[in-house]
Amino acid sequence: MDARFIPEPVHLIRFAPELLLTVFATLIMVLDPLTKEGEKHRLGILALVGLLAAAWGAAVAAANPGTAFSDMLLVDGFATFFRYLSILVGVLTLACSFAYLKREQADSGEYYALLLFSIAGQCVMVSANELIMIFIGLEISSIASYVLAGYLRDDKRNNESALKYFLLGSFATAFLLYGIAWIYGITGSTNLAEIQRVLSNRDIAPSVNLIGASAALMFVGFAFKVSAAPFQVWAPDVYQGAPAPVSAFLSAGPKAAAFAIFLRVYITAFEPIADQWQAVLWASALATMIVGNFAALLQSNIKRLLAYSSIAHAGYVLVAVTTHSQIGTAAAMFYLAAYAFMNVGAFAVVTHFARQGERYVNIEDLAGLGQRQPVTAALLSIFLLSFIGVPLTAGFFGKFYIFKAALDANLVWLTVLGLLNSAVAAYYYLRIIVVMYFHEPSESVADLQSPAPGIQAVLWASAAATLILGVFPSWVLDFAGKAALK
Amino acid sequence: MPSSVPLSWYLILSAILFGLGVAGFVVRRNIITVFMSIELMLNAVNLSFIAFSYQLRQVDGHIFSFFVMVVAAAEAAVGLAIILTVFKNRATLAIDDVSSLKN
């Protein structure tokens, strides 16, 4: 056998987070039947250990940057940033899930194993250096997420959420694959750097229209995964129907990883045809912001509202992608990190408040939360203010850097319309705060217990991160700036 | 693949199959048929990969099509399980009846 195909030890080190996550997920599946009912949360603690080990693995891999497995993987600052982010979202989701699974009497090892598999897929995605790996990572992450979305299999809402996520997700993946097939046919390679080299060579660059069509097919796949207009229709149904901690996970982790491959493919491989895709992304970013914000105005279900809000925030990140500049990429990375904290925090409040069977998920049910549980209400207010982009919160600097990058790239109209959009968004976020503090307490808050320890930990950690990023944004921004793709 | 058949024929066939899959996904109202339409799209993509791979005298496309098959099998396993839970709870496979999630 050719020696080139035997992986060197350093390649395995660069692949450490994925290996550790897979080992722990498999271990959890093996131990699941051996664990007594009522003791299953111990598997969750094992999953937490696995995530911490994966974070350590990501740090070790980051100390040995470079490619692995014949250039299939590329461990650079960009990959490391998103690996940390995916693992962090996993830790926060896990902490929310303990109380949720106990309450729904659905604690089992497969939940934790699926969570780890999904994160392993995201880690493969963000460090992929070629299209086959992107596809495999995306599918590992997605297939595990489909099951998680329908985790409570006797709940009709969960079934519907999983079905819609699965059907539309596979449909979008087929478009992505068809685009990949054509790019492979045109350039003769699936390696991103090689594709860029071929596309930038004017002499051998084949028909521009054909390349544009392939890039458009791949855009369909990516736009679905990041819930960008016009492929966002699945998001409200899926986030509304899925278990609350899973919605938190789906709207932060897989979405950030999907943006990572979106950025990597369009900034490296498709850089030579940037003039073509920039116009498409411009329109999509604007449509995504408008659809998300205006539909959110009409919602009465808080999970659905947060789903539309997540669409709107994907629109802001798309503005940063449209700039295709280094500071735009850094701004997108910062925004995804900031959004992960505030979004998981907000969904943690929903997880806590919804109670058994997710009975209380309407905005009006929150009436009187400000009197009944002032601390929870205050923490939720921090997340909502950060969504709006109020100074001293992470959301402010996130929007600031994105629109600054857009102005630097001469996207003046997109900036103006984006800012108008975020003004509209303030209305529906403030409405929740008004209901919490100024409406007569409804009977739904009367029997509300104090949050479970795991949920409290998530609330405090997310609020602290939101405020720290709002006061010292440079801590994350410097990392993102160094790691951003050129 | 005999060399007398030009590459474009395979690509046209692949495009037609892909288009049929898209049409089936949009038009059909039975969940299983919708799911089969997605499988048809994936197989159309496989045909493109194999044709390009043959044309380029490379194995990359063959490998890619193997991965697509593996993933399609995993998707089928998960997808059918999801469809089964929907059927158990609702006793229907009509996609229009699965629409309880709204505002």
Side-chain angles (χ1 to χ4, degrees):
Chain A
M1 193 177 167
D2 194 334
R4 282 183 307 139
F5 297 115
I6 300 167
E8 294 166 35
V10 70
H11 291 182
L12 294 175
I13 290 174
R14 287 174 191 148
F15 198 52
E18 292 84 352
L19 287 175
L20 286 165
L21 285 167
T22 315
V23 165
F24 273 90
T26 316
L27 191 63
I28 290 170
M29 282 168 58
V30 172
L31 291 177
D32 188 26
L34 307 174
T35 314
K36 285 203 259 335
E37 290 295 329
E39 303 274 301
K40 302 279 192 191
H41 63 275
R42 291 191 180 171
L43 297 172
I45 292 165
L46 187 61
L48 190 61
V49 174
L51 286 169
L52 296 177
W56 171 77
V60 173
N64 297 281
T67 60
F69 309 127
S70 316
D71 285 353
M72 303 268 289
L73 284 185
L74 174 61
V75 177
D76 52 5
F78 185 78
T80 305
F81 181 92
F82 280 103
R83 275 175 167 178
Y84 281 140
L85 184 57
S86 289
I87 293 168
L88 195 70
V89 170
V91 170
L92 294 174
T93 309
L94 196 60
C96 285
S97 303
F98 287 117
Y100 182 87
L101 294 174
K102 192 173 163 207
R103 191 174 76 198
E104 305 293 341
Q105 294 167 343
D107 209 355
S108 87
E110 64 200 47
Y111 181 92
Y112 305 114
L114 286 166
L115 194 65
L116 293 198
F117 279 129
S118 179
I119 295 164
Q122 289 160 35
C123 288
V124 173
M125 273 158 89
V126 301
S127 49
N129 192 34
E130 60 109 71
L131 297 170
I132 299 182
M133 289 303 274
I134 287 179
F135 167 67
I136 293 173
L138 186 67
E139 283 301 297
I140 295 173
S141 163
S142 300
I143 290 177
S145 315
Y146 301 151
V147 184
L148 281 176
Y151 179 68
L152 303 175
R153 44 178 185 269
D154 297 323
D155 185 307
K156 280 189 176 181
R157 291 169 297 178
N158 273 229
N159 291 162
E160 186 174 337
S161 164
L163 181 72
K164 287 181 172 167
Y165 196 24
F166 165 71
L167 287 179
L168 291 166
S170 321
F171 185 62
T173 306
F175 277 95
L176 177 71
L177 272 176
Y178 201 42
I180 291 176
W182 275 93
I183 285 292
Y184 168 67
I186 293 167
T187 63
S189 175
T190 51
N191 184 292
L192 296 180
E194 179 66 16
I195 292 169
Q196 182 187 21
R197 197 185 61 73
V198 174
L199 293 186
S200 54
N201 186 342
R202 287 291 161 207
D203 295 334
I204 54 171
S207 156
V208 176
N209 291 334
L210 213 51
I211 299 169
S214 321
L217 283 168
M218 288 182 70
F219 172 75
V220 174
F222 288 138
F224 174 88
K225 295 292 171 190
V226 301
S227 68
F231 307 102
Q232 86 297 350
V233 279
W234 60 277
D237 284 358
V238 171
Y239 294 172
Q240 186 190 348
V246 174
S247 306
F249 177 69
L250 294 182
S251 52
K255 187 177 264 190
F259 263 117
I261 52 172
F262 201 146
L263 282 164
R264 210 193 269 281
V265 170
Y266 277 77
I267 303 274
T268 56
F270 292 158
E271 174 61 24
I273 54 162
D275 294 345
Q276 282 188 45
W277 55 259
Q278 206 181 7
V280 176
L281 250 59
W282 192 98
S284 175
L286 181 61
T288 309
M289 289 189 288
I290 290 176
V291 168
N293 282 321
F294 283 86
L297 292 174
L298 309 170
Q299 304 307 316
S300 59
N301 180 306
I302 190 159
K303 280 168 88 184
R304 213 170 165 82
L305 182 138
L306 287 173
Y308 278 110
S309 128
S310 117
I311 295 172
H313 287 278
Y316 302 133
V317 181
L318 270 181
V319 172
V321 181
T322 311
T323 63
H324 77 96
S325 63
Q326 197 182 350
I327 62 163
T329 311
M333 291 162 78
F334 179 85
Y335 201 90
L336 287 166
Y339 178 71
F341 286 116
M342 52 203 185
N343 193 49
V344 173
F347 269 110
V349 175
V350 175
T351 308
H352 161 58
F353 190 83
R355 277 158 284 174
Q356 211 250 324
E358 298 205 4
R359 282 166 296 156
Y360 300 108
V361 283
N362 281 330
I363 294 167
E364 284 305 318
D365 293 334
L366 289 166
L369 187 67
Q371 290 87 357
R372 172 82 193 172
Q373 281 191 0
V375 177
T376 312
L379 292 172
L380 179 57
S381 305
I382 290 176
F383 304 133
L384 294 171
L385 292 173
S386 181
F387 279 138
I388 297 173
V390 172
L392 294 181
T393 61
F396 170 74
F397 278 110
K399 285 206 176 70
F400 176 78
Y401 291 129
I402 283 182
F403 289 123
K404 185 171 171 295
L407 278 181
D408 288 350
N410 283 323
L411 300 169
V412 179
W413 275 108
L414 195 57
T415 310
V416 171
L417 293 167
L419 287 172
L420 285 176
N421 253 289
S422 42
V424 172
Y427 171 77
Y428 58 84
Y429 293 125
L430 287 174
R431 187 164 60 116
I432 301 177
I433 297 181
V434 168
V435 169
M436 278 196 304
Y437 284 102
F438 300 113
H439 282 203
E440 284 298 309
S442 62
E443 73 271 27
S444 59
V445 295
D447 63 337
L448 188 65
Q449 310 289 317
S450 59
I455 291 181
Q456 273 196 10
V458 174
L459 288 176
W460 285 105
S462 308
T466 306
L467 293 176
I468 288 170
L469 287 185
V471 181
F472 305 107
S474 56
W475 291 1
V476 169
L477 195 74
D478 286 350
F479 188 177
K482 280 193 210 104
L485 303 164
K486 292 177 186 71
Chain B
M1 197 198 287
S3 57
S4 57
V5 181
L7 173 69
S8 57
W9 290 24
Y10 288 97
L11 297 179
I12 290 167
L13 176 63
S14 159
I16 291 171
L17 287 175
F18 193 84
L20 282 175
V22 174
F25 182 89
V26 175
V27 173
R28 288 307 187 121
R29 307 260 59 100
N30 180 295
I31 297 173
I32 302 274
T33 323
V34 168
F35 176 56
M36 282 163 61
S37 305
I38 295 172
E39 296 290 309
L40 185 61
M41 291 165 72
L42 292 179
N43 283 320
V45 171
N46 272 346
L47 183 59
S48 288
F49 270 122
I50 301 291
F52 279 130
S53 193
Y54 180 82
Q55 180 75 14
L56 294 162
R57 303 281 187 276
Q58 287 180 351
V59 290
D60 302 38
H62 294 222
I63 295 169
F64 211 132
S65 66
F66 275 124
F67 278 117
V68 174
M69 280 188 249
V70 169
V71 166
E75 256 182 8
V78 165
L80 290 174
I82 290 172
I83 294 170
L84 198 65
T85 58
V86 169
F87 184 74
K88 265 166 73 180
N89 281 332
R90 292 173 195 255
T92 175
L93 279 178
I95 209 152
D96 299 308
D97 294 344
V98 188
S99 60
S100 60
L101 294 172
K102 43 179 87 83
N103 194 22

